[in-house]
């Protein structure tokens, strides 16, 4: 009896190894070489672009997706023996964290002049690809949007018990608070946190979509969410979710105060890159007008290219001025933000 | 010995990463949020312990002691919730009850009820959602303990005038406790390092503190320091349990009659059936229904062509690692049985099961550090790093039932085998392994299913261009695209259900 199951087990192992054989055609394109990518961006749009890159250049792309900090730690530990050539993440502060750890090398990117200057790294160690805006959404039935023009407005007493927002553990909220600290100082940031906490309709929980659903449910009337998730929600395969997305309006805050807070995705060539030339090729490709148009149409993000504008659902939210990335120069403001959140009782 | 060192090695390597720790961050954390994090952790793990103990033990008791309609089917169906990752269960329940979910859609169409707001995303909900997928650990271990118990002891207790309830908690439960606890300790460790569910539900726990230090403050030494505090807590719990039960007599099942199942009639039959069906509905049918509903919505934009390879990867990893862990576990458990007097070695064996008490992401750091120390080329040479990682992380899952199985074999068996001229190795294969077959199968199910659900280690240690079902589900879940993640989630469940079914059959046919 036991043997019977043992042999069944081995049959399964055989099956398993056979079925994966087809997936391991690595290093077949030796002539043109490979480029190894550590990326936080696990999106279908990125995968399609990487396929296009291979089709155009013959360079095979090897990809690992994981969280930004895990990948930074891995790069750091691997040091000179790291296989990675390109590092991609969705957060400028994380890019600078890796940059300050000396994990990148400086390269000359021909396309750099075509990218929005406000997002360019001053030392040319990493390059922006796309960005997303952290906007205020409101219940279109109950809220007069002219009453809100800044993030600070949401901390006013008139929004008591009306704010739904995700937890302070969200890196988007941490970046936002870091930018507030940079613009107005720690004290103002602390007061803003206390004001928002006092206005919360419920304890922070869930993702950005869940906040919009809470507005639809009548739990609260206003929230701060990322345009990317709102874009996804409005294109959900669940028609009820699309309906939820249509119940809210979008405000781009701080248009008179330096611009709306944005999260920038960017790419860098790693210091130990064994395939540096291919890495640069990939960065040129991702920042080219053609790829940027692809992002604009397919990823619910804003392209970093000067001459390309958004071409998806997010374009319908309108034009806006984006704030610069001063808050992200290093992680110290983000770290301060975490502590201010904790002190202010933002869960 | 070598086995232990291989397993402890990565944890020790993690410990070296605390060098240069900055206590500033930890003291700020402890002055502000850490106390409430600890309170949340205690509250949630306490709740999950009580609820999963209640569900697991009572279901195990019912299916071993009573005969009732559908018993055979229910017996294995009750294991199935194990195949659902707790984070997926959380998303499913949240999706079920949120604005765009089926319950609220139905309520909106109902007069008077159209403004009802259901919120499962709180501490109670987290306890509920996690207990439903974790109770099978307790169920499996206590079921095999109850099934192996001697009926004479129970009969004796009844003869002495004890009611059925009294016999249960005075005789059966204490006798089965070591086995029950081995399942419960997995539940405890699993709850303590859960991050996905509590994060989504917005309940900051001690693990939140670990990840806050690491990811947001960029302070890995503090994060690891906190992880080791969590680990010490687990060590303390395990040691107390070990200390309390160290002198407990075990009943020897080999020479006694098996339990005669009592045929249930009347209201008792319906109460038992209703209870078990209730557990099954909430733990399996409801989340399954929600995932299927999502699958129906997202079917057209799911890329099915890649799933064959992804399933193959998942099967391969789960199988290889579970066999690796079982072989290692059997040899270690047997070695420590033979040389049981050496205290140091036996505590080594306990230490090597601690990987399970660490957040997977932290284990992964230790694995990378260890591999880099051995040979930096190995790190991207296929799936070895992953197998190593899984073994460190899930060793406890396989090892505990194996040890519990060995414990039931009386030491007179070893003596008899030696007297009859068997070598130690012979007696392992011809005496012990056939006797602990059931425990081995339990181990195999648990490890296999656990690995097919695993996420953090897989994410960071996988080779280039390598996806598993859980990384695929995660890809969509982090993008808040729950409907699109349902295909992979359902396949994870399916991959877990098949071995559970096969192995459960083999457990019954002896």
């Amino acid at each position: 009896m036991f043997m019977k199951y043992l042999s069944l087990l081995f049959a399964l192992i055989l099956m398993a190894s056979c079925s994966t054989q087809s997936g391991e055609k690595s290093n077949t394109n030796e002539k043109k070489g490979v480029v190894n990518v550590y990326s936080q961006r696990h999106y279908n749009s990125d995968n399609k672009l990487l396929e296009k890159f291979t089709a155009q250049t013959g360079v095979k792309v090897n990809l690992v997706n994981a969280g930004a900090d895990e990948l930074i730690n891995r790069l750091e530990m691997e040091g000179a023996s790291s296989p990675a050539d390109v590092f991609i993440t969705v957060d400028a502060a994380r890019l600078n964290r890796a940059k300050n750890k000396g994990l990148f090398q400086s390269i000359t990117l021909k396309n750099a002049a075509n990218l929005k200057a406000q997002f360019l790294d001053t030392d040319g160690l990493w390059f922006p690809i796309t960005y997303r805006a952290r906007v205020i959404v409101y219940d279109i039935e109950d809220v007069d949007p002219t009453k809100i023009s800044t993030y600070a407005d949401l901390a006013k007493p008139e929004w008591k018990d009306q704010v739904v927002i995700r937890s302070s553990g969200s890196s988007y909220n941490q970046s936002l608070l870091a930018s507030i600290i940079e613009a107005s100082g720690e004290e103002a940031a602390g007061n803003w946190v206390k004001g928002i906490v006092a206005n919360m309709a419920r304890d922070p929980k869930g993702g950005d979509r869940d906040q919009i659903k809470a507005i639809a449910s009548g739990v609260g009337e206003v929230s701060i969410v990322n345009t990317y998730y709102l874009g996804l929600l409005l294109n959900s395969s669940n028609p009820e979710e699309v309906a939820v997305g249509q119940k809210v309006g979008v405000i781009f805050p701080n248009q008179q105060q330096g611009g709306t807070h944005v999260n920038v995705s960017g790419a860098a060539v790693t210091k130990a890159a064994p395939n540096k030339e291919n890495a640069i090729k990939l960065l040129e490709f991702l920042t080219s007008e053609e790829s940027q148009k692809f992002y604009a149409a397919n990823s619910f993000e804003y392209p970093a290219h000067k001459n390309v504008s958004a071409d998806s659902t997010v374009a319908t939210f309108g034009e806006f001025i984006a704030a610069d990335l001063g808050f992200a120069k290093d992680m110290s403001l983000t770290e301060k933000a975490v502590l201010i959140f904790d002190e202010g009782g933002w869960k | 010995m070598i086995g232990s060192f291989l397993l402890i090695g990565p944890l020790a390597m993690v410990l070296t990463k605390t060098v240069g720790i900055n206590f500033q961050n930890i003291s700020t954390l402890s002055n502000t949020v850490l106390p409430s994090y600890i309170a949340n952790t205690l509250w949630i793990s306490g709740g999950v312990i009580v609820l999963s103990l209640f569900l697991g033990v009572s279901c195990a008791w019912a299916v071993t002691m009573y005969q009732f309609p559908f018993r055979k089917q229910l017996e294995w169906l009750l294991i199935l919730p194990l195949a659902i990752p707790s984070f997926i269960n959380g998303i499913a329940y949240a999706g079920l009850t949120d604005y765009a979910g089926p319950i609220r859609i139905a309520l909106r169409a109902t007069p008077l009820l159209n403004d009802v707001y259901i919120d499962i995303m709180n501490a109670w909900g987290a306890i509920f959602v996690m207990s439903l997928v974790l109770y099978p650990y307790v169920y499996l271990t206590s079921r095999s303990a109850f099934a192996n118990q001697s009926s004479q002891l129970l009969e004796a207790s009844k003869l002495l005038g004890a009611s059925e309830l009294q016999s249960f908690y005075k005789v059966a439960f204490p006798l089965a406790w070591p086995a029950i606890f081995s399942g419960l300790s997995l539940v405890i460790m699993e709850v303590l390092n859960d991050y996905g569910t509590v994060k989504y539900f917005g309940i900051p726990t001690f693990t939140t503190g670990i990840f806050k230090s690491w990811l947001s403050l960029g302070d890995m030494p503090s994060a690891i320091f906190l992880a080791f505090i969590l680990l010490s807590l687990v060590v303390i719990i395990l040691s107390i349990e070990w200390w309390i039960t160290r002198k407990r007599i075990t009943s020897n099942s080999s020479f006694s009659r098996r339990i005669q199942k009592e045929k249930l009639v009347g209201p008792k039959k319906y109460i038992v059936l209703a209870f078990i069906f209730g557990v099954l509905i909430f733990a399996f049918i409801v989340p399954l229904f929600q995932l299927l509903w999502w699958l129906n919505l997202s079917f057209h934009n799911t890329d099915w062509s890649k799933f064959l390879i992804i399933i193959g990867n998942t099967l391969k990893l789960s199988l290889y690692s579970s066999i690796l862990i079982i072989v290692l576990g059997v040899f270690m458990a047997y070695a420590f049985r033979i040389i049981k007097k050496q205290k140091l070695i036996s505590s080594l064996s306990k230490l090597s099961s601690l990987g399970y008490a660490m957040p997977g992401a932290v284990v992964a750091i230790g694995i990378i550090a260890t591999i880099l120390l051995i040979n930096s080329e190995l790190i991207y040479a296929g799936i070895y790093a992953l197998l190593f990682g899984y073994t460190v992380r899930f060793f406890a899952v396989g090892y505990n039932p194996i040890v519990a199985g060995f414990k039931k074999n009386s030491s007179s068996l070893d003596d008899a085998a030696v007297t009859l001229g068997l070598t130690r190795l012979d007696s392992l294969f011809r005496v012990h392994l056939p006797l602990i077959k059931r425990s081995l199968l339990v181990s195999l199910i648990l490890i296999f299913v656990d690995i097919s659900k695993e996420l953090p280690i897989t994410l960071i240690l996988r080779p280039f261009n390598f996806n598993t079902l859980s990384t695929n589900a995660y890809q969509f879940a982090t993008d808040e695209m729950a409907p699109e993640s349902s295909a992979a989630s359902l396949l994870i469940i399916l991959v877990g259900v098949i071995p559970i079914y096969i192995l459960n059959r083999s457990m019954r046919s002896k």
Side-chain angles (χ1 to χ4, degrees), chain A residues 65 73-74 205 209 213, chain B residues 98 119 214 460 462 480:
Chain A
N65 289 128
N73 278 135
R74 185 166 171 177
K205 63 181 87 177
R209 276 189 196 212
K213 285 176 187 169
Chain B
D98 77 15
D119 184 17
W214 180 12
I460 189 76
R462 62 195 163 140
E480 306 185 8

Side-chain angles (χ1 to χ4, degrees), chain B residues 238-250:
Chain B
L238 293 183
S239 314
I240 292 175
E241 200 280 334
W242 172 79
W243 190 75
I244 291 170
T245 57
R246 74 197 186 286
K247 284 188 183 143
R248 182 134 317 145
I249 315 148
T250 49

Side-chain angles (χ1 to χ4, degrees), chain B residues 174 188 198 277 287 318 339 386 447:
Chain B
I188 296 172
V198 290
F277 271 111
S318 310
I339 36 178
L386 273 179
I447 308 169

Side-chain angles (χ1 to χ4, degrees), chain B residues 87-106:
Chain B
F87 176 57
I88 302 283
N89 204 31
I91 295 181
Y93 264 99
L96 184 78
T97 52
D98 77 15
Y99 186 86
I103 293 184
R104 297 279 301 283
I105 293 174

Side-chain angles (χ1 to χ4, degrees), chain B residues 59-283:
Chain B
C59 288
W61 184 253
V63 298
T64 28
M65 298 304 291
Y66 306 129
Q67 186 61 49
F68 47 87
F70 309 112
R71 192 193 64 82
K72 280 191 172 170
Q73 289 75 17
L74 290 172
E75 189 174 28
W76 80 273
L77 287 171
L78 279 168
I79 317 173
L80 294 188
L82 191 65
I84 307 178
S86 65
F87 176 57
I88 302 283
N89 204 31
I91 295 181
Y93 264 99
L96 184 78
T97 52
D98 77 15
Y99 186 86
I103 293 184
R104 297 279 301 283
I105 293 174
L107 285 177
R108 274 201 295 281
T110 319
L112 297 177
L113 294 176
N114 49 14
D115 249 357
V116 176
Y117 171 64
I118 310 164
D119 184 17
I120 189 138
M121 291 165 77
N122 50 44
W124 288 100
I127 292 173
F128 174 76
V129 160
M130 286 200 261
S131 301
L132 286 181
V133 294
L134 294 178
Y135 85 84
Y137 287 118
V138 178
Y139 169 75
L140 272 170
T141 51
S142 45
R143 182 177 65 140
S144 71
F146 289 146
N148 283 335
Q149 74 194 341
S150 138
S151 63
Q152 280 137 340
L153 285 172
L154 284 178
E155 279 161 18
S157 96
K158 275 187 194 155
L159 277 177
L160 291 169
S163 72
E164 193 189 330
L165 198 64
Q166 281 172 328
S167 320
F168 168 75
Y169 72 81
K170 287 199 170 149
V171 180
F173 189 76
L175 277 175
W177 178 249
I180 295 175
F181 186 80
S182 80
L184 191 64
S185 64
L186 297 179
V187 173
I188 296 172
M189 293 194 257
E190 191 97 34
V191 172
L192 286 181
N193 69 43
D194 170 84
Y195 184 51
T197 317
V198 290
K199 188 185 177 199
Y200 186 59
F201 278 37
I203 311 149
T205 62
F206 196 76
T207 320
T208 314
I210 296 177
F211 283 94
K212 198 170 224 172
S213 309
W214 180 12
L215 306 181
S216 310
L217 299 176
D219 181 4
M220 197 159 75
S222 300
I224 290 172
F225 179 77
L226 293 175
F228 270 94
I229 291 183
L230 191 68
L231 199 66
S232 322
L233 186 72
V234 175
V235 174
I236 292 169
I237 295 172
L238 293 183
S239 314
I240 292 175
E241 200 280 334
W242 172 79
W243 190 75
I244 291 170
T245 57
R246 74 197 186 286
K247 284 188 183 143
R248 182 134 317 145
I249 315 148
T250 49
S251 81
N252 190 326
S253 55
S254 334
F255 306 109
S256 51
R257 277 178 298 119
R258 285 289 153 83
I259 288 154
Q260 201 63 43
K261 287 190 172 57
E262 178 195 335
K263 192 162 181 183
L264 286 184
V265 285
K268 201 173 165 185
K269 175 168 95 178
Y270 295 107
I271 292 171
V272 168
L273 271 176
F275 178 73
I276 293 183
F277 271 111
V279 173
L280 260 182
I281 287 170
F282 283 108

